[in-house]
Amino acid sequence: EQIFEVHRHKDGPWALMVDRARAALPSGSGRFLDLATGPGEPSKMLAEAFPRATIYASDVSEDMLDKARWRMQGLSNVEYGIVDMQDMSQFPDASFDVVTA
């Protein structure tokens, strides 16, 4: 948990990710793809910052997605799926407004 607090810090990388996402999607609604979400902390920050958006939390590991589901219990704007970022063919072009990794 301590590593998440370091990354969540106001000057940390995930805060920067949220700031850049706000600049890219000022309306606050749309679809996000979070690649390699791991246990879900980046997706959780996005879901909390953009409650009107849909966050697609993805990872190559079902175990990591299980951890992400647990971490984001109660967030209704998150979807989950196995995705290998080297093969994005499961998504049509322009499926997402913002992609993070």
Side-chain angles (χ1 to χ4, degrees):
E1 289 299 315
Q2 189 175 13
I3 189 78
F4 295 136
E5 293 309 313
V6 170
H7 282 82
R8 265 184 178 241
H9 186 271
K10 68 178 180 72
D11 296 321
W14 293 335
L16 179 61
M17 173 191 67
V18 169
D19 288 345
R20 296 233 169 120
R22 278 195 181 105
L25 199 63
S27 71
S29 61
R31 288 188 50 83
F32 286 78
L33 171 61
D34 183 31
L35 293 165
T37 198
E41 194 61 29
S43 290
K44 182 178 181 190
M45 283 193 72
L46 290 169
E48 291 170 345
F50 298 92
R52 296 180 316 166
T54 299
I55 314 302
Y56 193 92
S58 70
D59 203 279
V60 295
S61 166
E62 187 65 45
D63 183 52
M64 285 291 112
L65 287 178
D66 287 343
K67 288 176 170 73
R69 285 182 190 95
W70 180 84
R71 180 174 300 287
M72 292 185 276
Q73 295 175 60
L75 291 172
S76 61
N77 61 331
V78 182
E79 300 172 355
Y80 305 88
I82 296 287
V83 176
D84 181 343
M85 68 174 72
Q86 296 181 53
D87 178 10
M88 304 290 291
S89 62
Q90 71 192 71
F91 302 112
D93 289 347
S95 293
F96 299 95
D97 301 296
V98 176
V99 177
T100 61

